[in-house]
Amino acid sequence: MEKKFRHYEFEGAVLDIPMFYDELSRMYIEEYRNFNEDPAWTAEGCPLMHSVEDACPYGEWDEPQRCNDCGSCRFFEPIAPHALIGACRQKKRLWANKS
């Protein structure tokens, strides 16, 4: 069987996300890489993150509780409506700020 991919282009970042067929749900599901081990960045230097990554120390949230993951942080912007990956807009996490 030929491997399927979902292609994303987002602010200069190009991602081909492999997909696998899940027998239980009877649908193809995206298989995301570990962006901490293999990072990707937008052209502006924003890191791409998986929405369920643990929140960084710079996370901010609209709810009165602690931001537990990237997806609930106000700086997280999904790359597409259905995607679980997105760009972190926190200025302290920009590529230019990496030492």
Side-chain angles (χ1 to χ4, degrees), residues 65-85:
Q65 71 227 20
R66 185 178 176 333
C67 182
N68 294 323
D69 58 36
C70 289
S72 61
C73 179
R74 73 178 192 90
F75 295 113
F76 183 81
E77 180 184 346
I79 65 171
H82 63 276
L84 296 176
I85 50 178

Side-chain angles (χ1 to χ4, degrees), residues 36-91:
N36 290 320
E37 293 176 5
D38 185 17
W41 308 84
T42 67
E44 294 177 348
C46 297
L48 296 180
M49 306 295 297
H50 192 280
S51 64
V52 298
E53 292 287 336
D54 289 339
C56 73
Y58 310 116
E60 293 181 14
W61 50 98
D62 295 325
E63 300 293 320
Q65 71 227 20
R66 185 178 176 333
C67 182
N68 294 323
D69 58 36
C70 289
S72 61
C73 179
R74 73 178 192 90
F75 295 113
F76 183 81
E77 180 184 346
I79 65 171
H82 63 276
L84 296 176
I85 50 178
C88 175
R89 301 288 183 199
Q90 171 49 269
K91 293 187 186 313

Side-chain angles (χ1 to χ4, degrees), residues 3 5-8 10 12-20 29-42 46-53 79 84-86 95:
K3 185 104 171 149
F5 291 86
R6 182 164 285 148
H7 182 80
Y8 292 103
F10 182 74
V14 177
L15 299 169
D16 287 311
I17 306 296
M19 300 179 75
F20 69 94
I29 297 175
E30 294 177 342
E31 188 173 11
Y32 300 108
R33 71 187 198 214
N34 183 330
F35 288 104
N36 290 320
E37 293 176 5
D38 185 17
W41 308 84
T42 67
C46 297
L48 296 180
M49 306 295 297
H50 192 280
S51 64
V52 298
E53 292 287 336
I79 65 171
L84 296 176
I85 50 178
W95 176 258

